Amino acid sequence: MSTGSVLILRTLGVPRVTGPAGLLDVTGKSLALLMFLALEGETPREVLADLLWSDQGGDAARRNLRVQLHRLRGSGLADWLEVTPGAAALRGEVQVDLLSLRAALAAGDAPGAAALVGGRFLDHLSVPGAAEFGAWQERVAGQALDEQLRALDALAAHEAARGAWPGVLAAHARALGLEPLRERSVRAQMETLAALGQREEALDAYRALCRRLREELGAQPLPATRLLAQDIAQAPAPSGGAVPVGPLVGRAAEVAALRAARTMLVLGEAGIGKSRLLRGAAGDGLVVRGAPELTPLPFGALLDALRAQPSLVWCPEPLRPALVATLGAPGGAGLPDRGATLDVLAQALLALAGGRPLIVEDLHWLDAGSLEAAFLALHRGARHLWLSARPEDLAGRADVLEVLARVNPPSLTIQELPLEGVAELITRLAGREAPLFSARLFEATAGHPLFLMETLRDLRERGVLSERGGRWHTPFDAFTVDYAEVPVPPSVTQAIRGRVERLGRVTRQLLQAGALWGEAFPPALVAGCVGVPVGEALDELERAQAARLVTPDGAGFRFGHDLHRRALLDGLSGARRAHLHAGLAALAPAGTPAGTVARHFELGGEPNRTWPLWVQAAREAEGLFAHADAFALYGRALACGAPPREAFAARVARSELCRHLDDEPGREAELAALAQLAAGLDDAGCWADLAARRAKWHTERDEYALAVAEVRAALERFGGALDDDVRSALLLEGGAALACLEDWPASAALLEEALALTRERLPVRASNVLYWLGYGAYRTGEFAQAERAYRQSVEVLPPGTLSRGRVLSLWKVGACLRRLGQLCEAAQALREADDSARTLNAGSVRGLIVAEQAALAFTHGDREGAAALAAEAQTLLTPGGEEGWDVLNPLLVALAAGPVTATR
């Protein structure tokens, strides 16, 4: 850094202030004041006085602050210190190492960020009598430590991508210098040493950690660290050096394209190196993975990733209550509407990423909600959003493709490595060229990165790879040997299967059960399915870990790649597959999403245990306003043979979801299915419920006489056998249809009877009744009376209710107020109605609201705004209908004719 006209502040480690002439003598509260201003910016003098003189009264604190500001000016800082009667700040060019480190992290400059790592924030700076400053110092120190560790983790990833393993070890050693008990760094150090064949050095690192924990805390390492040490200690001494994770080769153009784009969709087949490319380009990124078992669950992948965090220390305090509500409620339904849920999840992604690139892997398995949240995080300021998918699987995901189409990110298709790339890989791993061996590997694997690494591992297990001088070799390196003699497996799937079979029957069965469960699985679950004690299962899974088929994942294990899962599943018979699915469902851990358990029971051939769980999953989806998902989940319950009465309830729910989705053909089909079920049940309540739904269907299609006939027939046939709930539903629909026929006395009689049955017991039904009472007053020109009824319709609902009926009532409140000349109040009611309609994704209802907003804008004299809203309303309203068009058509005429009085 140049010190010409720059003030340089070191905050990481022992604080230091450097001006153009060299080090400046700034200590104590003057130093504390300077560092606070450098990081927090312009600050009111009252805040500074309270910060540094927390133990003194206001006058004394302000007087002391004046003294310190005077001392700072006299310390050679007058050119940078700006003091006004109300505040103090630093001006000019000021370089602060912590701010520079944050900028380097945000820019993805891992070496630059790591170069700024210096130690504990304001180390050895103690300020007596300044409790508020001490609290601030402690808080920033924690953040600074996390950021420095992130910088060193990113440096380690950067060095690994170059194959520079000494640099990887040096980065982990620096992280342990900052936080000696950080087990993540110790495990990374151990794994790197073990991969390089330095088993004793890896175990020495573990023993040193054990000593520190015992001496300082009287504790032992975490289970994941102990398991890793056991794995390294029990692994047979290698006859040849282990093959470390391959360096990133042959992808320079792709890395450059990724780093130049804020968002990019990386396409390629399984194992082609999409994940390796994204992580190599990111250095240190936040990864969210799609998984088949999470696909049916709304926000499944994102909620799973957030719930996996050990704490919420990364989450801003104002966001924590909403995030805890979202994560803690069944199905994640902890917020009032889907829009709020998306907003909270997007903010959480931004906070957890902390400036790092956001990577979404296996997009073809991601639920659409998680993708929407990721794109919202990008819109809110995420530095990068990179996605990966298999094209053939993504093509079948219409819901994900629809979300993708809204943003239309550029795509990048990656192919196999060329021969030159394979040769570079072998040279980087072996430390020297092996052209014939490289050519044979290229011929056998077509340059497919995963096939290459699997083949190399298979060769090592066969003893073909050997170690001489700290580097691995094969007998096929010589130029004189025909490379066709290299014993590469004929297919990678066979190679993976061979590795599994060498581990034994129990290990194979445990891995097969885990493969059916998902990408990651808990040991106790697969042990129960296979029928072995958990301890024995752990022994076997640790052998699989040594074979690089699985890796530790918290308290469980994760497959190294999806091809490992595929190879395991390909060998499963149908009967064993069903047996394992049923066992997984029966033993699923507490808290497993209902949809996941239902899927396993379904595949296990146990429909009676399946359908209730699909119903539960559907209800959870409804709570997240994921209407299309809920509709499909109810369908799965029906497909599994839900009993007639439960099937009737599921069809009722699907018919209502069709209303939210504006799917009229689907709704008609559900009503027809309900009629078949009602005929089989022959239950008065079911018939009457169906009659009420048919009547509503007819009313919404302007078939009012048919609706009235439906209600009257049901009341005559079943009247005495109906409870208040079903009877009031019929009365409501009959009163609504009669109101549409403008038979006001008959309509009011039915609606008043319905209101008496519902006001105390059924608030949602009472709200609908009041809506139609308001409709009668509205159509007869009694706008004040109508406004009161519509407002009561909203107020009678439980707090927090978000429904189609509430939106319609708010729309009518706004319409009445406009006609009463209360334009500001009308605008507020219509704005609230529009916000709620957007949350419900109710396009046709929004058309009614927007038409009224257009008329209101015209009344205000805003012709341009009225024209824009009228154009939008035309796209939303149902063609050929009456409602909404009765306001919009006269308005369109008025807009075309010139300035005239707006329609009422």
Side-chain angles (χ1 to χ4, degrees):
M1 296 181 184
S2 171
T3 60
S5 59
V6 180
L7 179 65
I8 302 173
L9 303 182
R10 173 181 173 176
T11 65
L12 302 175
V14 177
R16 189 170 59 198
V17 182
T18 305
L23 287 176
L24 299 179
D25 184 18
V26 184
T27 60
K29 290 194 175 180
S30 295
L31 180 60
L33 174 59
L34 179 65
M35 296 302 185
F36 184 87
L37 291 174
L39 287 172
E40 300 297 335
E42 183 173 352
T43 306
R45 295 177 69 147
E46 292 81 357
V47 173
L48 294 173
D50 292 340
L51 183 81
L52 292 167
W53 289 274
S54 311
D55 59 343
Q56 297 184 17
D59 291 341
R62 286 189 291 273
R63 183 172 58 254
N64 286 326
L65 175 62
R66 286 195 297 272
V67 172
Q68 290 298 336
L69 290 171
H70 177 73
R71 288 178 179 173
L72 279 177
R73 286 196 190 95
S75 300
L77 295 169
D79 291 343
W80 294 276
L81 185 63
E82 181 178 280
V83 180
T84 66
L90 295 181
R91 298 289 186 248
E93 188 171 355
V94 180
Q95 294 181 357
V96 185
D97 54 354
L98 178 55
L99 298 181
S100 299
L101 184 146
R102 289 172 176 170
L105 279 175
D109 180 8
L116 292 162
V117 172
R120 178 173 173 76
F121 177 72
L122 300 184
D123 198 13
H124 292 89
L125 176 61
S126 176
V127 185
E132 294 294 329
F133 178 83
W136 172 82
Q137 181 181 0
E138 192 64 29
R139 175 173 59 81
V140 178
Q143 295 170 352
L145 177 59
D146 288 343
E147 288 159 342
Q148 291 181 90
L149 291 171
R150 272 183 48 208
L152 293 171
D153 288 343
L155 177 64
H158 173 81
E159 295 294 281
R162 300 192 306 116
W165 305 111
V168 174
L169 292 171
H172 293 317
R174 290 179 64 192
L176 290 170
L178 289 175
E179 190 174 355
L181 301 181
R182 191 187 191 222
E183 295 196 34
R184 172 180 172 179
S185 295
V186 174
R187 287 195 298 272
Q189 195 177 50
M190 293 166 63
E191 288 170 344
T192 304
L193 289 167
L196 293 171
Q198 301 175 34
R199 183 171 68 170
E200 283 307 311
E201 289 85 347
L203 293 174
D204 283 343
Y206 175 71
R207 296 180 191 114
L209 172 69
C210 292
R211 284 194 300 273
R212 286 194 297 268
L213 285 170
R214 185 172 58 252
E215 292 168 0
E216 296 184 28
L217 302 177
Q220 60 179 345
L222 295 171
T225 312
R226 298 201 303 271
L227 284 171
L228 177 61
Q230 291 171 17
D231 168 54
I232 295 172
Q234 294 171 6
S239 59
V243 181
V245 175
L248 185 62
V249 298
R251 303 294 192 202
E254 290 87 345
V255 169
L258 279 169
R259 290 177 176 169
R262 282 200 67 209
T263 183
M264 180 77 77
L265 172 60
V266 177
L267 298 169
E269 64 177 274
I272 199 68
K274 301 184 294 294
S275 298
R276 186 70 185 84
L277 170 65
L278 290 175
R279 298 184 188 203
D284 178 29
L286 173 62
V287 179
V288 176
R289 294 187 187 88
E293 61 271 18
L294 298 173
T295 304
L297 308 180
F299 305 110
L302 185 48
L303 291 174
D304 186 66
L306 293 172
R307 286 171 177 151
Q309 301 304 312
S311 71
L312 294 181
V313 66
W314 51 270
C315 181
E317 290 188 11
L319 180 63
R320 286 185 193 175
L323 182 59
V324 168
T326 304
L327 299 180
L335 294 177
D337 58 64
R338 189 173 188 273
T341 302
L342 271 173
D343 182 64
V344 167
L345 293 177
Q347 290 187 63
L349 265 181
L350 276 174
L352 186 56
R356 295 175 291 168
L358 177 58
I359 299 172
V360 177
E361 293 187 357
D362 295 330
L363 179 62
H364 47 275
W365 286 329
L366 198 77
D367 60 281
S370 291
L371 181 58
E372 286 185 84
F375 276 135
L376 183 55
L378 179 71
H379 178 70
R380 295 276 176 82
R383 195 173 104 234
H384 291 292
L385 172 60
W386 296 332
L387 315 147
S388 73
R390 302 177 197 160
E392 66 279 8
D393 293 328
L394 184 61
R397 291 296 308 282
D399 54 340
V400 170
L401 290 173
E402 180 184 350
V403 178
L404 273 176
R406 300 175 198 164
V407 177
N408 194 25
S411 63
L412 173 67
T413 300
I414 59 173
Q415 307 292 343
E416 291 82 358
L417 291 172
L419 175 58
E420 295 77 12
V422 175
E424 182 185 355
L425 174 68
I426 298 304
T427 300
R428 296 276 289 276
L429 289 173
R432 66 184 180 90
E433 294 183 353
L436 293 181
F437 181 46
S438 301
R440 178 65 185 105
L441 284 174
F442 176 74
E443 181 183 274
T445 63
H448 194 290
L450 182 68
F451 294 0
L452 281 164
M453 298 310 296
E454 287 298 327
T455 301
L456 289 172
R457 288 175 186 138
D458 185 76
L459 289 172
R460 185 195 177 287
E461 290 183 0
R462 292 167 181 257
V464 175
L465 291 180
S466 60
E467 182 184 10
R468 293 196 305 274
R471 293 174 177 170
W472 58 265
H473 304 268
T474 81
F476 310 100
D477 294 331
F479 284 77
T480 57
V481 178
D482 182 355
Y483 55 71
E485 299 175 16
V486 178
V488 177
S491 78
V492 171
T493 299
Q494 290 177 2
I496 296 173
R497 285 184 187 171
R499 291 168 59 203
V500 172
E501 290 300 326
R502 286 194 288 272
L503 296 174
R505 177 183 61 83
V506 173
T507 305
R508 184 189 74 244
Q509 292 179 350
L510 289 166
L511 291 175
Q512 286 171 336
L516 287 174
W517 182 253
E519 182 182 355
F521 59 90
L525 175 62
V526 295
C529 282
V530 174
V532 299
V534 176
E536 182 181 342
L538 283 171
D539 292 339
E540 298 297 327
L541 291 171
E542 286 164 4
R543 294 178 61 220
Q545 179 187 339
R548 303 291 293 274
L549 292 167
V550 295
T551 59
D553 184 54
F557 292 89
R558 177 182 296 276
F559 285 99
H561 195 278
D562 183 57
L563 282 184
H564 295 151
R565 290 181 64 202
R566 290 189 186 184
L568 286 158
L569 294 176
D570 285 346
L572 271 177
S573 68
R576 178 165 291 278
R577 188 184 293 258
H579 171 75
L580 288 174
H581 273 301
L584 289 167
L587 298 171
T592 301
T596 300
V597 183
R599 172 177 164 271
H600 287 292
F601 271 135
E602 183 176 5
L603 295 172
E606 298 195 29
N608 290 336
R609 302 178 73 176
T610 301
W611 69 261
L613 291 162
W614 283 131
V615 169
Q616 180 183 339
R619 289 171 179 163
E620 291 175 356
E622 284 184 281
L624 285 168
F625 303 93
H627 301 310
D629 293 328
F631 184 87
L633 291 167
Y634 278 122
R636 298 189 74 161
L638 293 167
C640 288
R645 194 166 295 279
E646 286 74 14
F648 189 90
R651 293 284 183 188
V652 165
R654 279 166 62 95
S655 71
E656 287 301 304
L657 287 166
C658 286
R659 292 185 71 218
H660 286 296
L661 295 167
D662 291 326
D663 181 3
E664 293 305 302
R667 185 179 175 195
E668 187 172 14
E670 292 303 321
L671 290 174
L674 281 169
Q676 292 181 351
L677 286 167
L681 289 167
D682 197 24
D683 176 85
C686 290
W687 277 117
D689 182 271
L690 175 59
R693 295 181 188 282
R694 280 174 168 168
K696 182 186 292 186
W697 161 259
H698 287 308
T699 298
E700 292 177 359
R701 291 165 59 90
D702 300 335
E703 300 167 349
Y704 309 126
L706 290 176
V708 172
E710 191 85 49
V711 169
R712 285 175 174 165
L715 287 172
E716 289 172 6
R717 181 180 175 188
F718 306 113
L722 301 179
D723 60 21
D724 290 351
D725 187 359
V726 178
R727 182 176 180 82
S728 64
L730 285 167
L731 293 169
L732 166 61
E733 299 308 330
L738 287 166
C740 293
L741 290 169
E742 299 187 357
D743 187 346
W744 310 121
S747 170
L750 293 184
L751 292 172
E752 292 292 350
E753 183 182 350
L755 187 60
L757 294 173
T758 59
R759 186 184 288 275
E760 299 299 329
R761 295 178 50 252
L762 302 168
V764 175
R765 181 78 45 75
S767 173
N768 289 339
V769 173
L770 286 162
Y771 173 88
W772 284 105
L773 286 170
Y775 177 84
Y778 180 90
R779 291 302 298 267
T780 55
E782 300 292 338
F783 297 125
Q785 179 182 340
E787 191 273 338
R788 286 194 296 273
Y790 286 132
R791 191 171 295 280
Q792 289 177 33
S793 174
V794 175
E795 293 170 349
V796 76
L797 290 170
T801 298
L802 183 63
S803 66
R804 187 185 181 96
R806 181 178 182 275
V807 174
L808 289 170
S809 293
L810 284 168
W811 160 56
K812 282 298 192 182
V813 168
C816 291
L817 290 169
R818 181 174 73 85
R819 286 153 179 81
L820 292 169
Q822 301 177 36
L823 303 186
C824 292
E825 294 83 351
Q828 182 178 350
L830 291 171
R831 187 163 49 249
E832 185 178 355
D834 190 40
D835 289 344
S836 299
R838 288 175 185 272
T839 299
L840 289 172
N841 196 25
S844 59
V845 176
R846 276 205 68 230
L848 305 174
I849 299 164
V850 175
E852 196 64 43
Q853 288 176 317
L856 182 63
F858 191 79
T859 303
H860 270 298
D862 181 6
R863 293 179 58 82
E864 184 177 348
L869 288 166
E872 183 182 3
Q874 286 178 285
T875 68
L876 295 169
L877 288 171
T878 304
E882 178 182 349
E883 219 167 22
W885 293 103
D886 59 342
V887 172
L888 189 59
N889 284 330
L891 175 61
L892 292 172
V893 172
L895 287 169
V900 296
T901 304
T903 179
R904 294 180 63 86

